[in-house]
């Protein structure tokens, strides 16, 4: 990668800890981008406090508007699921997150054939906090990964790059040089300047004027056309049979059910399921259980069709959608004085008002000994006057796919919201929901803009929770273990949100105690938040 640039006469945003070759570029070594340390929001503080924990920065005007290229070499061929790039966004000082990143993969490291993964970041000129940008890599294979970071301001500053990957199994051959004669065209990626990316696939070396060659090509094309026609026919027939149309909001089926689809209209969400014969009784049982729930803070079952296909459930849906997306369209009232007129705001009391409703709904479920298992802002709905209802729409929503991780190859789990006993012991109780509520409260006070444990990969989150599990194995008997107990010293607790008061953060820490019997009940949480917000009523 290129070495960082100077900023004025005072600051050198170099990779000062790089242990490889220093020439015009940095080669065959490791440095600040892989040391596990993230820089502070103010890049000057990182420079003065600790040169090893700061930022590596590049300036646009020294590179003729060309993107920054960073190449990573791994020890073996790997299968990549995600990349996390920790970026600075002090836009008032000409530092912004990249406008676009292209990610290319190679086995041999010389040629990067194939289409790159392209991710475009929406410009943020409201919040100057540093953040982790996570990009799904869709299980692409390679030993070498190249990033092309496009500038959106004068400076790009990166502190850490982390890959989620596993060793790829199979036989892999290095890429050949792309041929220039009549390449087979795939979807061409077009950059902002309109130029195509080199990603053509190599073509056959047979002579194009050979009649046998032409016959083979025509035969293959005819076979492809027939297969596409059959596939389109089957898709259309299946959709007509199911009478269910795709929607950006996809409903969740219980774990034993087949695929689902959903449509949202006029305060209701219609979810349809494809079921096997042995699944119908379980489906009817689950619908009866959900239909029996009646609470002002729980989304209701409005109707169901259980006698014949398509099997459908009509769930209540609120006009403002899920809480996570709703929060992201607002800022705290305390920050509004420096914002333009018209920016939507939420006061601290309003945030606690919404959290208290979630606690009230969970208190109702706790009285029934009903365990939710996936409490998060993505699974809460917002209506008029900040009315909150707990649902379960977020699980199969593509927007939140990165919130779920397969532990040991099992079903995807929301590990960043889960208590340690649920992951390692498979134990789900109302007290594991209490743990998830504290994470949900943390999301609310951060207005949905921060992912829990954003500085850790999914594997690191699981390993951090594993320390609780090990402590539980070493200490068979219940001990006086508070959140500052010695056995929990190495667990990475979520930091206190800027908008949080001390007593609210203390409540979160109580919910994250190792021993579940030491965590508060939802009755206690609900009463505490109601007293905290006594006398508050929303204005709209």
């Amino acid at each position: 990668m290129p070495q960082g640039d100077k900023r004025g006469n005072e600051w050198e945003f170099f990779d000062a800890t790089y242990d490889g070759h220093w020439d015009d570029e940095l080669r065959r070594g490791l440095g600040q981008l892989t040391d596990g340390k993230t820089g502070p929001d103010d890049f000057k503080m990182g420079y003065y406090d600790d040169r090893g924990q700061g930022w590596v920065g590049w300036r646009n005007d020294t590179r003729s508007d060309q993107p920054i290229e960073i190449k990573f070499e791994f020890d073996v061929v790997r299968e990549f699921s995600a990349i996390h790039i920790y970026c600075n966004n002090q836009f008032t000082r000409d530092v912004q997150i990249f406008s676009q990143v292209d990610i290319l993969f190679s086995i041999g490291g010389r040629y990067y054939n194939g289409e790159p993964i392209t991710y475009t970041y929406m410009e943020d000129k409201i919040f100057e906090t540093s953040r982790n940008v996570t990009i799904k890599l869709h299980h692409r294979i390679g030993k070498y990964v190249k990033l092309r970071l496009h500038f959106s301001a004068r400076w790009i500053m990166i502190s850490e790059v982390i890959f989620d990957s596993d060793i790829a199994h199979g036989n892999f051959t290095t890429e050949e040089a792309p041929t220039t004669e009549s390449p087979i065209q795939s979807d061409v990626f077009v950059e902002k300047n309109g130029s195509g990316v080199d990603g053509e696939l190599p073509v056959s070396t047979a002579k194009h004027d050979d009649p046998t060659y032409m016959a083979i090509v025509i035969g293959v094309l005819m076979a492809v056309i027939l297969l596409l026609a059959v596939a389109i026919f089957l898709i259309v027939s299946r959709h007509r049979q199911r009478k269910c149309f795709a929607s950006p909001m996809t409903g969740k089926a219980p774990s034993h059910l087949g695929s689902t689809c959903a449509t949202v209209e006029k305060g209701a969400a219609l979810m349809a399921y494809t079921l096997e014969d042995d699944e119908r009784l379980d489906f009817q049982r689950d619908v009866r259980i959900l239909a029996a729930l009646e609470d002002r803070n729980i989304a209701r079952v409005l109707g169901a069709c259980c006698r014949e296909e398509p099997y459908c459930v009509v769930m209540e849906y609120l006009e403002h959608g899920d809480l996570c997306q709703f929060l992201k369209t607002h800022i705290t009232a305390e920050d509004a004085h420096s914002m333009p007129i018209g920016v939507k705001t939420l006061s601290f009391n309003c945030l606690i008002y919404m959290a208290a409703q979630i606690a009230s709904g969970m208190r109702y479920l706790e009285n029934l000994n009903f365990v939710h298992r996936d409490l998060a802002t993505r699974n809460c709905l917002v209506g008029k006057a900040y009315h909150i209802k707990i649902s379960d729409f977020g699980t199969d929503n593509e927007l939140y796919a990165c919130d779920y991780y397969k532990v040991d190859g099992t079903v995807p789990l929301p590990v960043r919201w889960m208590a340690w006993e649920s992951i390692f012991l498979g134990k789900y109780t109302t007290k594991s929901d209490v743990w998830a509520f504290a994470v949900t409260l943390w999301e609310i006070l951060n207005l949905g803009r921060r992912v829990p444990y954003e500085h850790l990969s999914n594997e690191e989150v699981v390993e951090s929770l594993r320390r609780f599990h090990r402590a539980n194995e070493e200490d068979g008997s219940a001990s006086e273990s508070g959140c500052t107990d010695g056995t929990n010293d190495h667990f990475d607790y979520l930091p206190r949100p800027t908008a949080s008061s001390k007593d609210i953060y203390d409540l979160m820490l109580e919910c994250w105690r190792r021993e579940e019997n030491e965590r508060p009940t939802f009755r206690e949480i609900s009463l505490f938040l109601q007293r905290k917000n006594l006398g508050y009523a929303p204005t709209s």
Side-chain angles (χ1 to χ4, degrees), residues 487-503:
T487 56
N488 305 333
D489 283 347
H490 300 293
F491 176 70
D492 293 309
Y493 289 95
L494 291 171
R496 174 177 168 180
T498 304
S500 175
S501 59
K502 183 180 183 301
D503 56 348

Side-chain angles (χ1 to χ4, degrees), residues 24-293:
D24 294 336
E25 291 188 343
L26 305 181
R27 300 177 182 273
R28 306 197 66 80
L30 298 173
Q32 287 181 214
L33 299 189
T34 57
D35 62 1
K37 303 174 182 177
T38 56
D41 293 340
D42 188 341
F43 61 78
K44 292 183 180 180
M45 296 300 296
Y47 184 86
Y48 286 123
D49 292 347
D50 189 341
R51 295 287 293 276
Q53 294 190 28
W55 299 89
V56 181
W58 299 274
R59 201 171 66 200
N60 189 12
D61 52 11
T62 63
R63 303 178 189 281
S64 304
D65 290 328
Q66 294 300 309
I68 298 295
E69 285 199 356
I70 305 175
K71 184 167 75 173
F72 295 87
E73 178 183 355
F74 294 83
D75 54 345
V76 294
V77 178
R78 304 187 72 85
E79 179 181 345
F80 297 91
S81 56
I83 181 176
H84 312 275
I85 308 174
Y86 198 79
C87 309
N88 192 287
N89 195 50
Q90 284 189 275
F91 56 85
T92 56
R93 298 182 180 176
D94 293 326
V95 182
Q96 278 189 253
I97 297 172
F98 50 80
S99 61
Q100 176 179 298
V101 59
D102 307 320
I103 308 171
L104 303 95
F105 301 85
S106 173
I107 301 297
R110 186 173 182 183
Y111 302 110
Y112 291 80
N113 299 336
E115 290 289 324
I117 292 176
T118 300
Y119 178 86
T120 303
Y121 190 84
M122 185 178 295
E123 183 181 66
D124 179 4
K125 286 197 172 183
I126 297 179
F127 297 95
E128 292 196 302
T129 55
S130 303
R131 66 205 63 181
N132 196 45
V133 179
T134 298
I135 305 167
K136 295 170 62 177
L137 300 184
H138 307 292
H139 304 284
R140 295 286 284 270
I141 302 295
K143 184 179 179 182
Y144 298 83
V145 181
K146 182 189 292 184
L147 307 183
R148 290 177 180 159
L149 303 170
H150 297 258
F151 287 88
S152 60
R154 189 179 182 189
W155 282 85
I156 287 178
M157 289 191 181
I158 306 293
S159 178
E160 190 72 14
V161 179
I162 299 173
F163 290 89
D164 293 342
S165 66
D166 294 308
I167 296 176
H169 300 286
N171 296 321
F172 306 98
T173 57
T174 58
E175 298 84 358
E176 297 180 359
T179 181
T180 57
E181 59 174 270
S182 302
I184 297 174
Q185 292 295 323
S186 57
D187 294 335
V188 178
F189 167 72
V190 180
E191 293 181 315
K192 288 188 174 182
N193 59 11
S195 62
V197 172
D198 295 335
E200 295 83 8
L201 299 175
V203 299
S204 171
T205 57
K207 296 181 180 179
H208 290 201
D209 56 355
D210 188 346
T212 304
Y213 172 84
M214 295 302 296
I216 292 174
V217 170
I218 292 173
V220 170
L221 290 177
M222 290 296 294
V224 170
I225 291 172
L226 289 174
L227 289 174
L228 287 175
V230 172
I232 292 172
F233 175 79
L234 292 175
I235 292 172
V236 171
S237 299
R238 188 173 181 180
H239 273 260
R240 285 178 177 175
Q241 181 181 6
R242 291 169 64 184
K243 300 179 182 178
C244 179
F245 301 95
S247 167
M249 174 62 70
T250 303
K252 181 197 176 186
S255 59
H256 62 276
L257 299 182
S259 60
T260 70
C261 60
T263 180
V264 177
E265 184 176 355
K266 295 183 179 179
L270 172 66
M271 297 178 290
Y273 309 100
T274 56
L275 303 176
E276 301 296 335
D277 291 339
D278 57 345
E279 294 174 334
R280 295 174 185 173
L281 291 178
D282 290 335
F283 174 78
Q284 294 172 358
R285 180 200 62 196
D286 290 343
V287 170
R288 289 193 189 99
I289 293 173
L290 294 175
L293 302 178

Side-chain angles (χ1 to χ4, degrees), residues 294-299 352-368 370 375 380 387-390 437 444 521-530:
E294 291 186 12
D295 184 82
R296 71 181 307 273
N297 297 120
I298 303 291
I352 298 301
Y353 176 77
M354 291 188 286
Q357 293 181 74
I358 298 174
S360 177
M362 293 304 298
R363 177 182 178 179
Y364 169 79
L365 297 181
E366 182 183 66
N367 290 335
L368 299 175
F370 191 105
L375 183 61
C380 296
H387 185 194
I388 304 296
K389 293 202 173 191
I390 300 167
F437 171 80
I444 292 172
T521 64
F522 277 113
R523 178 181 181 277
E524 294 168 332
I525 295 172
S526 179
L527 291 174
F528 173 82
L529 293 178
Q530 289 176 18

Side-chain angles (χ1 to χ4, degrees), residues 444-487:
I444 292 172
L445 293 175
N446 282 293
L447 274 73
R449 288 184 171 83
R450 298 183 65 183
V451 177
Y453 313 105
E454 59 189 354
H455 62 293
L456 299 177
S457 65
N458 288 323
E459 292 88 347
E460 289 171 334
V461 172
V462 173
E463 186 58 34
S464 181
L465 289 166
R466 195 186 300 276
R467 298 186 182 112
F468 273 128
H469 180 43
R470 288 171 180 163
N472 185 65
E473 290 178 334
E474 293 170 2
D475 183 10
S477 60
S479 61
E480 294 295 324
S481 57
C483 289
T484 58
D485 224 26
T487 56

